[in-house]
Amino acid sequence: TATYVQNFSVASQENAPSGIVFNNDGTKMYILGDTGNDVNEYSLSTAFDVSTASYVQTFAVGSQETNPQGITFNNDGTKMYITGYSGDDVNEYSLSTAFDVSTASYVQRFLVSSQESIPRDITFNNDGTKMYVIGSSGDDVNEYSLSTAYDVSTSSYTQRFLVNSQETNPQGISFNNDGTMMF
């Protein structure tokens, strides 16, 4: 029952957007860019209404990933994660001010190349003890368990779920709030 509402151009900051995420209350939007190798932060005066977005700042991730594809945050916005296929990894950043990318600093990375050589997107379960990476070389969702929530260095591969019967070039992944539906 979805219907088109409106669009918002990010071309002034990025002409090859590869990922999008919002903060918890929808007052900030983040566009990951494959051309600029950066995260572009926007402020929304009306929550989740992209027509009210205005550009705030950018954060470069090119030192860690030159083909960034997926972005997500932990629940409180103090950690940011970027995945991409030049490093075949998940890069973890710490934010000293929640959801403010100008305060981000690189922490560490976790290689996913044994499971996926073209990781496209990343998400976590609600408590950060499971991480999911979807990719277009395996056409699958790879699940990892984290012994310390949201700490990618404690990740271990668990299993995968093939989506190639439905999609041979998957780009994004998301769950509903209680984790009973995957999109």
Side-chain angles (χ1 to χ4, degrees), residues 9-179:
S9 176
V10 297
S12 297
Q13 292 79 42
E14 179 60 51
N15 61 16
S18 55
I20 183 173
V21 68
F22 290 83
N23 69 345
N24 295 337
D25 66 5
T27 57
K28 288 190 176 190
M29 175 177 71
Y30 307 86
I31 301 293
L32 186 62
D34 195 6
T35 299
N37 298 323
D38 54 13
V39 178
N40 297 283
E41 180 182 317
Y42 300 82
S43 179
L44 285 75
S45 56
T46 302
F48 296 107
D49 182 346
V50 297
S51 71
T52 68
S54 59
Y55 174 73
V56 176
Q57 59 194 344
T58 190
F59 175 75
V61 297
S63 295
Q64 292 80 43
E65 180 58 58
T66 56
N67 290 111
Q69 299 295 302
I71 180 173
T72 194
F73 289 88
N74 67 347
N75 288 341
D76 65 6
T78 58
K79 289 191 174 188
M80 177 175 70
Y81 306 86
I82 305 288
T83 191
Y85 59 84
S86 66
D88 298 334
D89 55 10
V90 174
N91 296 283
E92 179 182 318
Y93 301 83
S94 178
L95 285 75
S96 56
T97 302
F99 293 109
D100 180 347
V101 297
S102 71
T103 69
S105 59
Y106 176 70
V107 176
Q108 60 194 344
R109 76 181 201 156
F110 175 75
L111 287 171
V112 297
S113 54
S114 295
Q115 294 79 43
E116 181 58 57
S117 62
I118 308 176
R120 295 291 190 173
D121 202 9
I122 178 175
T123 193
F124 290 86
N125 67 346
N126 290 335
D127 65 5
T129 58
K130 289 188 182 242
M131 178 175 72
Y132 306 89
V133 175
I134 193 165
S136 58
S137 69
D139 300 331
D140 55 8
V141 176
N142 296 283
E143 179 183 307
Y144 302 84
S145 289
L146 285 75
S147 56
T148 301
Y150 294 110
D151 180 346
V152 298
S153 71
T154 68
S155 300
S156 60
Y157 175 71
T158 307
Q159 61 188 337
R160 75 180 187 149
F161 177 74
L162 287 169
V163 297
N164 60 344
S165 295
Q166 297 78 36
E167 181 56 59
T168 57
N169 192 19
Q171 301 291 310
I173 183 170
S174 184
F175 287 88
N176 66 346
N177 289 337
D178 66 5

